[in-house]
Each structure stands twice: as structure tokens, then as C-alpha cells.
Amino acid sequence: MVSSPKRVPTRKIPLYTRFSTAHNRYLYDAVSQSFLQISPAVYDLVDDFIAHGCESERLTRDGNGRYEAAVVEEARREVQEAANEGMLLSEPAELGSFGSMIDIEKTLRKHCHQIVLEMTRSCNLRCRYCIFSGLHGDYPAHADRHMPRERIEEAIRFYMVHSREEEQLAVSFYGGEPLLRFAEMKHAVWYAKRLAGEKPIHFNLTTNGTLLMPEVVDYLVNNDFFLAVSLDGPAIVHDRFRVFDGGAPTHAAVVGALSRLKEQYPEYYRTRLLLNVVLGPGVDFEQLEAFFSEALTCDLPLTITGIDDPDGEFEQQFNPENEISRGFEKLEERYRQNVVEGVKPSRFLRSLFDANLAKIQRRPISTNLPEFIHPNGICLPGKRRFFVDIDGEIHPCEKLARTMPIGTIRDGFDTAKIAEYVEIYRGISKEDCSRCWAMRWCTLCFKSALGNEGLDAATKHGYCENVKSSWKRAFALYCSILEQNSEALNFLKSVTFS
């Protein structure tokens, strides 16, 4: 991240938020990243103090009679002291950038970490929440189109040139369902190994799990693939949305394949497998925890995501009765009790809560706001990974496939377009993000800002409240645990997160 031009001093703005646990009230100060335990009076009156100035005599009495004048004055003094120490108020932050087009070109010339190949746009499933299922408006449906071998080789050659300063390589296979092109995938692995020479190279496969036949499994194990399989829970949950082309359920096929894999290759199963879990509307979290605590899945890492449905179209079509999800609060309390008592939570619980708490635990405490803040969760398109579609067009990642081109494998990266995307994102984010207490926690990226007409502020803004409310909830969970056991979260030192 490269700094932008030096900012001009401006009026200080509030940069904090309030939250509470069952026993205490807190302020999160975005300037220092400290949690301040506060009195009920400060909790209720801090906004007035900050808005009207802590020196204002008018605020020595609370107008609606909730507190006596002496209590109000003590609260005012506490807020004033925090402000005098540089907390609660700051000049707006400046969003950083990735430098000039020349800087971007230098980075992408030889520091690209991973290539993701769209092997095919065909799929043997028609998952109802998939935007390519043919059920979602203007999005193109799955099609019988594939990446030919010559383009696979061209893409891999392009990647090898643009990753030559990387210590290790990573090639990932995506679809559609990439195992429909198993022969071409094997060719890609052979070709990539040949070009990599002595440099370490890793292979990754994202699959729906229904085509993990013995021959396929043997090959994946022998080539040490990292394997991500989609499994949404027990059959009653999984088969609600994940169905074959034609509508038949898929759960039995996936679970059967996983059972055979575990039995035949237990060490590979334990160390190279990850489950992708999508939370559909009306999900029962306790039901999911019970399933993912069973012998087949209890030791596997999980990636848990929701359905990307910003306009509510999926909810309207598949959840017309507006059934709400159930049981999250119970699982949150179960996790809290487990951690406080020193009991290891289930893998499912840890997948829900560990990463955010680890980020909070490792946050740097500072005396002032950094001059430049990374613009949310965006990456430099192309560096961490890039996605090559079946036609050889390059996109930042599989989440932005077919929507945000950044070049072609024939003509190279379009650094002007990449710089333009970054500047557009910074532009639409500046007003809100530079004044937001969650600026250091936000993980929104290009995908969150992509509307019908490209990147726009309104689309991105639609995600902001969810981000802020989820972090306030995580802050409350974190503090509630430490209230009861100050050493309870030490295990988070070993937790990794992106």
C-alpha cells in the first residue's frame, strides 16, 4: 500500500462507537483501538458531549432527568479526559492507494501469487443460490463451453512469467465444475510442473464433490491437491438448494465421496480438505453445529459464507415467507461459555467466531490514527490472485469473474484499467470510510461495490451497516469473555486469518 499525497488538516470528527455486554458498557475508540469501560451516564451522554463540546455548561444537566447534575458532570469530565488524551476525535483518515501505474506494473510484472483457471462454464448441478444457475435475472446460465488445452498452456505460461519473483507457485482450478474437465486439469498440472522446474508448486481444486470418483481421488492425493468441497450441512439443509441438473438431491453423493476419501486416505483427508458452507435463508445454526460435529466432518476446517443477495431477489424467490435464521445467539453463548471455562469449542463454533476474535486480540494499540488507511478489503487486482476465464480474459478473482476485466493473457495486464478501478473505489469510499469508526475492520472489496453500472457508492453503502453491526457484536463477545476470564483468549495466538 502506497501513501497518497499529504492530507491538509481538517476539523476533528468523532471516531468511536458504543456497545455493551450483559454486565458493562464500553466505547471502542477508533483512534487508539482501545476498549474503554464506561459508566451508564457516559454511554448515554457521550454523543451529546462530543456534538456540543465537552466544555459546554449546558450539558452539566441532563435534560430528561435520567441523571443528577453531579453524575452528568462526572461523565462529562471522563469524556473530556479521553478527548484530551487524543481519543474519540481525529481528523478524517486518508485512504491509501497502490501507487502509480508504473508501481502497479512493476508489481504485476513478476509478483503474482496465484492463478485461478476457469476450466469450464458447464456444471452438473443447478444450485438455486448460484448466480449462474439460470434463475437469477440477467446473469448468464451455465453453458457447455470450456477452456481449450492451448489456452490452458498459454495462461500457465503467462502466470509463470508474472510470478518469477515468487518463492512458490499456486495454480487453482475453478468452474462451473472443473472435474467435468478432469483430463484437461491433469494436462494443466503436468504442464505447470514442467515449467515450474524446481520451484515448489501447489494445486487447489474447488468442487461440488459429486465427481470424486476413485481415479480422481487417487490423482488428487498423489499430486497433493488442496481440496475445497461444498457441503452446506445435513441433507435437509444441503438438498434445499444444492441439486443436480434436473432437481435431484446431491447430499448423498457428496457425503459418500467424503466417506470413501476419509477411509482410503485418512491423513490426506485430515490435512488437505476444506469444506465450503453456504448459509441459506432460515438456516438452523444448532442443526448445522450438530452435523459438523459428527465423525465425518468434525475435524475439517470450514469456510462459512452467506448468500450474496444485495437486492433481495433470492430471498423473494426462495424465501417468500421471510423465514429467519435460528439459533445463532445460542451458539454464540455456547462458544463464550466454552472459552471462559477452558473447554475447546467445536470446529463449527470456532469457524464462526475465532477469526474475528483473533483479529481483535491482535489489533495494534496506538496513540493516534495512521495518516493513511488501507481502503477496506480491496487488493491490488492481479497480485494476490488473478482469474483467467475460458476466453483468456483476466479478472481480479473468481468472485469477479465476467464482471471486471483487467487484461488478457495475450495482451497482458491492463494497468491503466487496474489503476482506474482502484481510484474509482477510493473515490466512492472516501466520504464514508474516512469518517467511519470501522475503517480498520472493514473487509468490503470491489465485489461489494459492483452494481449494474459498475462500481458505485450506493451499492457499497448497502453493506456498511451489516459490517459495523457484526463487528460491534464481535467486540461485545470479546469483552464479555475477558470480563470472566482474562486469560481465556490466549489460544487465539495460533489462529490464522486472511
Side-chain angles (χ1 to χ4, degrees):
M1 178 60 59
V2 178
S3 301
S4 298
K6 192 170 182 63
R7 62 184 177 185
V8 177
T10 58
R11 183 177 179 273
K12 290 186 175 182
I13 59 170
L15 283 174
Y16 64 88
T17 192
R18 302 175 299 164
F19 65 95
S20 61
T21 67
H23 303 290
N24 291 298
R25 294 169 174 83
Y26 294 88
L27 285 178
Y28 164 70
D29 170 47
V31 180
S32 66
Q33 298 217 95
S34 298
F35 294 121
L36 309 177
Q37 188 175 326
I38 57 175
S39 68
V42 171
Y43 187 90
D44 290 338
L45 301 175
V46 61
D47 291 347
D48 284 337
F49 290 149
I50 295 296
H52 300 290
C54 292
E55 302 290 352
S56 173
E57 294 182 4
R58 185 181 72 80
L59 292 173
T60 58
R61 295 188 308 276
D62 179 30
N64 56 22
R66 285 174 292 174
Y67 303 103
E68 295 180 356
V71 175
V72 175
E73 173 58 24
E74 175 62 20
R76 185 201 64 78
R77 185 186 62 78
E78 290 179 25
V79 173
Q80 181 68 68
E81 287 180 358
N84 289 344
E85 292 176 10
M87 299 180 180
L88 308 183
L89 294 164
S90 177
E91 296 176 11
E94 184 75 22
L95 297 185
S97 73
F98 296 101
S100 67
M101 282 197 298
I102 294 176
D103 295 322
I104 293 172
E105 185 176 355
K106 285 181 179 179
T107 298
L108 298 182
R109 190 178 299 160
K110 51 189 177 182
H111 289 288
C112 296
H113 179 62
Q114 179 183 180
I115 184 173
V116 183
L117 297 173
E118 183 185 35
M119 298 299 290
T120 179
R121 289 187 181 171
S122 180
C123 188
N124 60 328
L125 270 59
R126 290 297 181 271
C127 301
R128 296 186 174 106
Y129 50 57
C130 176
I131 60 173
F132 303 119
S133 64
L135 300 172
H136 299 277
D138 297 331
Y139 285 98
H142 291 301
D144 191 27
R145 296 189 61 213
H146 320 290
M147 184 180 288
R149 287 196 177 190
E150 57 270 21
R151 190 162 296 132
I152 291 172
E153 292 183 358
E154 186 179 7
I156 292 173
R157 288 197 300 272
F158 178 88
Y159 168 61
M160 293 296 174
V161 169
H162 289 268
S163 62
R164 59 187 180 273
E165 291 296 322
E166 293 291 294
E167 293 183 358
Q168 58 185 13
L169 305 172
V171 178
S172 299
F173 299 95
Y174 205 77
E177 171 49 53
L179 287 180
L180 290 171
R181 304 291 286 174
F182 181 49
E184 285 69 25
M185 189 183 81
K186 290 195 294 182
H187 179 77
V189 170
W190 168 80
Y191 192 71
K193 284 184 174 181
R194 175 185 163 192
L195 296 189
E198 297 300 317
K199 185 178 288 190
I201 184 167
H202 302 289
F203 298 101
N204 309 287
L205 172 65
T206 300
T207 174
N208 60 42
T210 63
L211 300 176
L212 291 172
M213 307 308 175
E215 176 193 359
V216 173
V217 169
D218 291 343
Y219 179 82
L220 297 178
V221 173
N222 291 335
N223 287 276
D224 201 26
F225 264 70
F226 289 91
L227 183 61
V229 178
S230 296
L231 180 62
D232 289 353
I236 193 172
V237 175
H238 179 96
D239 289 337
R240 184 180 178 190
F241 299 116
R242 297 192 65 82
V243 296
F244 284 109
D245 185 8
T250 63
H251 187 268
V254 178
V255 168
L258 293 179
S259 298
R260 292 189 297 271
L261 177 58
K262 182 179 182 181
E263 181 178 0
Q264 187 173 4
Y265 297 107
E267 182 64 15
Y268 176 88
Y269 186 88
R270 187 182 65 83
T271 60
R272 293 293 184 267
L273 187 61
L274 174 146
L275 298 180
N276 286 327
V277 183
V278 176
L279 302 176
V283 68
D284 185 330
F285 280 91
E286 289 189 288
Q287 189 177 50
L288 292 186
E289 191 204 10
F291 175 80
F292 287 110
S293 296
E294 294 176 359
L296 180 65
T297 54
C298 65
D299 294 324
L300 298 179
L302 310 174
T303 297
I304 303 174
T305 59
I307 294 171
D308 189 14
D309 185 35
D311 56 7
E313 178 185 342
F314 182 86
E315 283 279 347
Q316 293 174 14
Q317 186 172 359
F318 293 103
N319 192 26
E321 298 179 3
N322 199 29
E323 182 183 3
I324 61 173
S325 298
R326 305 176 302 281
F328 184 84
E329 292 80 6
K330 288 184 179 180
L331 293 197
E332 187 177 55
E333 177 59 19
R334 186 178 301 160
Y335 176 90
R336 189 189 68 78
Q337 289 180 350
N338 286 167
V339 171
V340 167
E341 295 169 5
V343 177
K344 185 177 181 179
S346 68
R347 174 74 80 164
F348 185 74
L349 290 180
R350 295 194 65 178
S351 297
L352 285 176
F353 303 112
D354 272 10
N356 280 352
L357 294 188
K359 291 177 184 178
I360 297 171
Q361 178 90 326
R362 301 179 204 172
R363 72 195 187 282
I365 304 299
S366 57
T367 56
N368 56 276
L369 197 68
E371 188 170 3
F372 299 101
I373 295 290
H374 190 98
N376 308 147
I378 71 167
C379 61
L380 173 59
K383 183 182 187 302
R384 186 184 303 172
R385 67 161 69 97
F386 62 90
F387 178 89
V388 180
D389 70 19
I390 58 174
D391 297 315
E393 194 167 57
I394 304 172
H395 302 264
C397 66
E398 61 275 15
K399 294 179 181 178
L400 290 163
R402 314 184 205 180
T403 58
M404 198 170 145
I406 58 172
T408 69
I409 56 174
R410 175 164 297 179
D411 299 325
F413 288 111
D414 187 340
T415 52
K417 178 61 71 175
I418 292 171
E420 180 185 357
Y421 285 139
V422 172
E423 287 309 303
I424 291 174
Y425 189 92
R426 290 179 69 239
I428 64 176
S429 303
K430 180 178 180 180
E431 187 63 27
D432 288 334
C433 298
S434 64
R435 299 169 178 270
C436 179
W437 63 262
M439 64 178 70
R440 300 203 221 187
W441 303 97
C442 184
T443 56
L444 296 182
C445 68
F446 294 111
K447 181 72 170 70
S448 310
L450 196 61
N452 293 330
E453 304 298 325
L455 299 172
D456 70 80
T459 299
K460 179 173 180 284
H461 192 73
Y463 291 92
C464 291
E465 288 307 314
N466 284 339
V467 170
K468 288 187 281 189
S469 64
S470 67
W471 277 112
K472 287 177 71 170
R473 185 165 193 144
F475 292 167
L477 177 60
Y478 177 83
C479 290
S480 71
I481 291 171
L482 295 185
E483 286 171 357
Q484 292 191 267
N485 183 347
S486 61
E487 306 294 322
L489 294 174
N490 288 346
F491 74 93
L492 294 174
K493 295 176 182 177
S494 63
V495 172
T496 58
F497 53 84
S498 58

